[in-house]
Amino acid sequence: ASFPLLCFRSPLVTPLIFVLLLQAPFTQPSTITRPNFVLLLADDLGIGDVGCYGNDTIRTPNIDRLAKEGVKLTQHIAAAPLCTPSRAAFLTGRYPLRSGMDAVNDYRVIFWNAGSGGLPPNETTFAKILQHQGYSTGLIGKWHQGVNCESRNDHCHHPLKHGFDYFYGMPFTLISDCQPTETPEMDRAFRRKLWLSTQMIGLITLTAVLGRLTGLISVRWKTLTCLAGFSLLFFISWFSSYGFVRYWNCIMMRNHGITEQPMVTDRTTSLILRESVSFIERNKHKPFLLFLSFLHSHTPLLTTEKFLGKSRHGLYGDNVEEMDWMVGQVLDAIDKEGLKNTTLVYFASDHGGWLERQEDKRQLGGWNGIYKGGKAMGGWEGGIRVPGIFRWPGVLPAGTVIDEPTSLMDIYPTVVHLAGGAVPQDRVIDGRDMLPLLRGAVARSEHEFLFHYCGVHLHAVRWHQKDTGAVWKAHYVTPIFSPPGAGACYDRGFCPCFGEGVTHHEPPLLFELSQDPSEAKPLSADTEPLFNTVIRRIDRAIEEHRRTLTPVPEQLSVSNVVWKPWLQPCCGTFPFCWCDKEGDN
């Protein structure tokens, strides 16, 4: 009876079979061809800077288009409020203190290309797993996870050692020192102290010499010579590094080779865009992973003339609008190569906007919308809640908004599983596969608890109570804003993680984020009947979490972050490091 049915042909049945075949990707994700991945990560972008997250003055039509055609996450959380640790967590799917990439001191990020700290070689990034799965993997833009360990060319922390086949960009991060016309940004307060100390030692030396010449001071010339030598050595000891930040840190590399030292900032944006589009074109016939790690919107806000003065938010707004244009160019390249339906595109920021970044009353940092705090604040939402957008036509439902807690660490297992790989079983992976949530197969995030660190110091914990949908957040430590009530640490430039600049709370401050996302009204045992129950449950979760932590070498220790001349990447013969291979071309 079945044979005549199989052989039967009619104008109605053939189109019906064709339609059912087209629908298979929606219903059978296991049959989907392994997608390409384009991961777009902004630098220092606030959640309030993007149109689809409520900004109606900065124009971001291309990022907004991604959200319209895909899934927008409204509770997407960075694992750290600063670049280096947040990106380490993103790449490894693990809280940064598990890899030693969070700070025990005030040096909370990698400070020099010539430091010895960085993402440890024994960490397995998602790029490394995808490389083993046959993907072409490329990183374009910012790295900020270290370069060398013991010698100038060992490249132990380099992207090519962490699973990327191709790298073009900055091994460090963009800073104002890279722009000769800007006020130096790196370690600004410490540099002022060093200059002052140098002037004082020099003044003492000069006074002693004059006193000896006029006979007012009885001191031996040998002593004066030693004092002068000490003054000179002290000056050289710090000026050899801080005096040449632009040459030591502001460099561009292609794979292991340096292409610009120092970088020529006028063409950086066009080169990064060119490299990104070229990578897509070169790899269109095989599965690929492109991690486009923007230098936007970190100071000094490199912006081409085409976008200067075009926004309603000064240079910062111009810079964000240019980044959005770059997103559009990458999306156009995907469309041009016919890859739209086979490419998963993801857009996010590494942490919240930098509220304190101002220069001559110009606001050079981002805006975090209704959320309290910003960059460097490990507990408050403004430091860690970031944009999160996915697009994969035909697989992820367009125009979807998800308000469940998710993490940048979730990219790791999501990408690995879609590529047909397996996450490592010999270590704790803190991220969770998001595909069921993104596709609407489940209603709740797999995260019950998220731990919010500032350096290695636990500042807050989020409890996603799945039976009720409540999202409780307990703050054990908060920064002291300066001036008081300002919402940031304007007097310091960054809010600290520990010491005199923070307040310890016992009992902790408690908020219910689904009711109070701005964290404006802390609850108490008098106002919230479940207060003690919630705090006890969170305290128990902290104990369980801490049992999963094991001691590891501190990558951001003082000895690892200081400048070491023998580790300095150099285009030439050290210390004569200069080249412009892009200009030569």
Side-chain angles (χ1 to χ4, degrees):
S2 61
F3 180 76
L5 184 62
L6 287 170
C7 293
F8 181 72
R9 294 288 183 270
S10 80
L12 178 65
V13 173
T14 302
L16 181 62
I17 294 171
F18 182 67
V19 168
L20 288 172
L21 287 171
L22 282 179
Q23 287 183 334
F26 289 91
T27 55
Q28 299 293 331
S30 60
T31 65
I32 298 169
T33 305
R34 296 183 305 164
N36 305 308
F37 300 98
V38 175
L39 310 180
L40 309 171
L41 193 65
D43 196 3
D44 284 20
L45 181 74
I47 192 171
D49 294 326
V50 183
C52 59
Y53 283 91
N55 192 306
D56 56 4
T57 55
I58 295 181
R59 293 164 295 190
T60 56
N62 295 295
I63 299 171
D64 298 346
R65 172 160 59 102
L66 273 180
K68 185 177 180 181
E69 296 176 355
V71 178
K72 182 178 78 171
L73 306 173
T74 62
Q75 203 176 161
H76 200 42
I77 307 299
L82 285 172
C83 309
T84 296
S86 174
R87 290 162 183 269
F90 175 75
L91 288 161
T92 64
R94 291 152 51 81
Y95 287 109
L97 81 167
R98 295 194 191 277
S99 57
M101 291 293 281
D102 232 337
V104 297
N105 50 49
D106 288 327
Y107 291 97
R108 297 166 57 187
V109 298
I110 287 172
F111 260 67
W112 298 97
N113 281 325
S116 54
L119 190 63
N122 63 354
E123 287 294 327
T124 303
T125 67
F126 56 70
K128 190 173 288 186
I129 297 176
L130 264 65
Q131 199 176 47
H132 292 156
Q133 293 300 118
Y135 275 70
S136 294
T137 56
L139 166 60
I140 312 294
K142 169 176 172 171
W143 176 237
H144 210 190
Q145 298 293 301
V147 183
N148 299 311
C149 288
E150 297 177 354
S151 67
R152 182 167 290 123
N153 294 310
D154 67 28
H155 298 122
C156 69
H157 302 306
H158 190 278
L160 268 59
K161 283 285 179 70
H162 281 293
F164 291 100
D165 299 315
Y166 184 76
F167 169 60
Y168 178 81
M170 288 191 78
F172 192 60
T173 181
L174 197 60
I175 48 176
S176 291
D177 304 69
C178 299
Q179 190 87 311
T181 57
E182 293 291 319
T183 304
E185 171 186 334
M186 187 173 149
D187 236 353
R188 187 184 299 184
F190 185 51
R191 282 158 93 166
R192 278 198 289 261
K193 291 178 182 177
L194 289 170
W195 264 117
L196 182 61
S197 300
T198 302
Q199 290 168 344
M200 289 179 65
I201 294 170
L203 184 61
I204 291 169
T205 304
L206 183 61
T207 302
V209 170
L210 291 174
R212 176 68 174 81
L213 290 172
T214 58
L216 295 174
I217 300 175
S218 177
V219 61
R220 294 163 57 188
W221 283 111
K222 186 177 181 180
T223 304
L224 291 176
T225 303
C226 290
L227 185 58
F230 172 76
S231 301
L232 182 62
L233 285 173
F234 179 77
F235 174 71
I236 292 173
S237 70
W238 70 266
F239 195 77
S240 60
S241 56
Y242 285 107
F244 300 92
V245 169
R246 186 164 161 256
Y247 285 84
W248 302 153
N249 279 347
C250 303
I251 68 176
M252 298 291 285
M253 298 181 77
R254 177 174 285 106
N255 296 326
H256 289 144
I258 298 172
T259 59
E260 296 176 3
Q261 189 170 16
M263 64 194 291
V264 182
T265 53
D266 290 347
R267 61 183 178 220
T268 303
T269 296
S270 61
L271 288 175
I272 285 178
L273 182 57
R274 185 190 74 185
E275 290 282 345
S276 301
V277 172
S278 174
F279 183 85
I280 293 170
E281 292 172 347
R282 290 197 310 270
N283 293 284
K284 60 187 176 184
H285 296 303
K286 53 188 173 183
F288 66 83
L289 161 74
L290 170 61
F291 176 19
L292 172 49
S293 179
F294 289 104
L295 303 184
H296 297 59
S297 48
H298 200 292
T299 49
L301 302 173
L302 299 182
T303 308
T304 56
E305 192 172 344
K306 177 182 175 183
F307 288 90
L308 286 175
K310 296 299 173 64
S311 80
R312 293 164 58 185
H313 280 279
L315 182 59
Y316 182 83
D318 299 345
N319 193 254
V320 173
E321 291 190 0
E322 180 175 58
M323 179 183 65
D324 178 81
W325 171 78
M326 293 173 73
V327 170
Q329 294 297 298
V330 171
L331 296 181
D332 288 348
I334 293 170
D335 291 352
K336 178 186 171 187
E337 302 301 337
L339 301 173
K340 183 174 181 178
N341 292 337
T342 56
T343 302
L344 174 63
V345 180
Y346 167 73
F347 177 86
S349 177
D350 55 356
H351 50 70
W354 190 357
L355 302 178
E356 296 93 344
R357 189 67 178 99
Q358 300 172 333
E359 207 73 66
D360 300 325
K361 297 184 179 179
R362 291 185 302 157
Q363 179 62 34
L364 300 179
W367 182 54
N368 300 311
I370 65 170
Y371 304 108
K372 182 181 291 186
K375 177 178 178 175
M377 304 182 212
W380 294 120
E381 288 292 282
I384 53 177
R385 192 184 288 223
V386 297
I389 302 170
F390 287 85
R391 188 193 75 174
W392 188 4
V395 178
L396 303 184
T400 303
V401 178
I402 295 175
D403 193 32
E404 290 287 296
T406 56
S407 170
L408 265 71
M409 296 184 290
D410 297 340
I411 288 298
Y412 187 96
T414 304
V415 165
V416 167
H417 288 152
L418 281 171
V423 298
Q425 299 300 307
D426 62 345
R427 65 200 66 189
V428 177
I429 301 295
D430 298 297
R432 298 291 180 266
D433 185 356
M434 279 192 285
L435 190 62
L437 182 68
L438 296 173
R439 297 187 71 249
V442 298
R444 296 291 187 202
S445 161
E446 283 191 42
H447 288 288
E448 185 176 8
F449 294 95
L450 286 170
F451 302 91
H452 306 307
Y453 283 90
C454 187
V456 297
H457 308 276
L458 184 65
H459 274 206
V461 179
R462 179 184 315 248
W463 177 27
H464 179 219
Q465 195 175 359
K466 295 185 181 180
D467 55 344
T468 65
V471 181
W472 305 97
K473 188 172 170 198
H475 288 261
Y476 294 84
V477 184
T478 56
I480 299 172
F481 293 144
S482 55
C489 302
Y490 292 99
D491 295 349
R492 292 172 175 262
F494 270 124
C495 283
C497 296
F498 62 94
E500 297 179 355
V502 302
T503 300
H504 294 262
H505 300 281
E506 182 54 50
L509 301 178
L510 183 66
F511 300 92
E512 210 283 78
L513 294 182
S514 62
Q515 302 297 321
D516 181 19
S518 301
E519 300 173 288
K521 300 174 183 177
L523 304 170
S524 68
D526 296 329
T527 60
E528 175 53 63
L530 294 174
F531 182 91
N532 291 321
T533 303
V534 170
I535 296 300
R536 281 196 300 270
R537 180 65 189 95
I538 291 176
D539 285 344
R540 195 161 70 249
I542 293 172
E543 292 176 12
E544 294 167 359
H545 166 68
R546 284 181 171 154
R547 283 198 289 271
T548 71
L549 303 177
T550 55
V552 293
E554 296 167 6
Q555 298 298 323
L556 301 182
S557 65
V558 173
S559 62
N560 275 331
V561 299
V562 295
W563 182 72
K564 301 177 177 70
W566 60 92
L567 297 184
Q568 177 61 51
C570 182
C571 189
T573 303
F574 184 85
F576 305 104
C577 304
W578 183 91
C579 66
D580 181 6
K581 296 179 181 177
E582 297 292 351
D584 295 342
N585 292 334

